[in-house]
Amino acid sequence: MANILHIETSGETCSVALSSDGLCLTEEIDTHGRAHAAVLPGFVREVLSFADSHALPLDAVAISSGPGSYTGLRIGLSMAKGLCYARDLKLLAVPTLQLLCTPVLLQHDPLPDDALLCPMIDARRMEVYTALYDRALHPVEDVHACVVEPGWMDTHLTQHPIYFLGSGAGKCRDILTHPNAHFLDNIRPLARHMFPLAELALARGRTEDVAYFTPFYLKDFVPGRAKDPFGRK
């Protein structure tokens, strides 16, 4: 039996969950914006309190590893590393785009055998972070950043039904008009959906180096210039 604490901070939602042997036992979630630094410590305390009160010794901490918000990923990983050091736990990394696909595979109506999944994370304007997976989450196209434009996915759409999901999918509806393009709404990365991928990683010994692991940002961070409160240039 594996007891894993899961942390997801890659996007607008902050969530923490505890799983034990394939079941989600408890979760904390905030959907009101990117206040991750403020709410995450309290969420972790609540989940740790639940584990301790039920005598569930933790085996690992799983982190949603990106791509996603640069700041959000750093906040989540910092917390995960602190827990790993403090409690001598293993660190597991769950790719965020695969995580987005998990609720579709577990909870959605059965998909056609030849269906492909295209999770998309909004990266501003018409750019998205995306990948293409089959139903077993084998990559058909690896993770990459791209600009969505007419004809972008037609080669695959002529051969397969493709299900687009995630924060970047909605803005592509008017562009991806092929009859094989299907859109799934309200799919976001959540800690409670991490456990199948995290438990598989733990069972296969795919743990990360706590000291040196970094999130998969995909693109370099470009800091913006803060606005002057007095309107000076």
Side-chain angles (χ1 to χ4, degrees):
M1 177 180 293
N3 303 317
I4 304 174
L5 186 147
H6 308 270
I7 297 174
E8 213 302 314
T9 56
S10 68
E12 296 287 344
T13 301
C14 177
S15 59
V16 180
L18 174 68
S19 73
S20 181
D21 198 25
L23 295 174
C24 179
L25 302 182
T26 186
E27 72 169 336
E28 300 288 334
I29 183 169
D30 176 69
T31 61
H32 297 106
R34 294 184 179 178
H36 300 349
V39 302
L40 182 59
F43 284 179
V44 169
R45 282 194 298 270
E46 289 296 322
V47 173
L48 288 177
S49 177
F50 180 95
D52 293 341
S53 65
H54 289 78
L56 294 171
L58 293 179
D59 299 292
V61 178
I63 187 73
S64 179
S65 60
S69 160
Y70 182 92
T71 301
L73 291 171
R74 286 174 62 89
I75 291 170
L77 182 60
S78 295
M79 177 62 73
K81 286 188 173 186
L83 289 170
C84 289
Y85 279 123
R87 297 200 172 207
D88 191 25
L89 303 174
K90 297 175 181 177
L91 178 65
L92 306 171
V94 174
T96 305
L97 289 170
Q98 290 188 16
L99 169 59
L100 272 169
C101 297
T102 303
V104 178
L105 296 171
L106 293 179
Q107 302 169 2
H108 195 267
D109 294 336
L111 303 179
D113 290 343
D114 61 341
L116 300 179
L117 295 171
C118 186
M120 308 171 85
I121 295 173
D122 191 354
R124 298 181 182 178
R125 298 185 177 87
M126 291 309 295
E127 188 175 33
V128 296
Y129 301 147
T130 189
L132 196 61
Y133 301 103
D134 65 15
R135 289 175 40 186
L137 290 185
H138 297 138
V140 176
E141 287 192 4
D142 290 329
V143 180
H144 60 285
C146 71
V147 175
V148 179
E149 54 191 4
W152 165 62
M153 192 62 76
D154 280 1
T155 299
H156 292 295
L157 283 168
T158 57
Q159 303 174 50
H160 302 272
I162 301 180
Y163 292 78
F164 297 91
L165 55 128
S167 62
K171 65 183 183 182
C172 303
R173 284 179 183 269
D174 294 337
I175 295 175
L176 301 173
T177 58
H178 194 284
N180 268 343
H182 307 278
F183 290 84
L184 303 178
D185 297 324
N186 302 317
I187 304 294
R188 56 189 171 188
L190 294 174
R192 69 168 175 259
H193 296 145
M194 293 173 65
F195 73 84
L197 296 174
E199 289 184 359
L200 181 62
L202 184 62
R204 294 181 175 178
R206 296 202 307 261
T207 60
E208 307 298 334
D209 188 309
V210 178
Y212 296 104
F213 179 76
T214 59
F216 178 42
Y217 297 119
L218 187 58
K219 295 175 69 175
D220 292 335
F221 176 61
V222 180
R225 182 177 179 179
K227 292 183 179 180
D228 191 292
F230 300 103
R232 296 173 297 196
K233 300 294 185 181

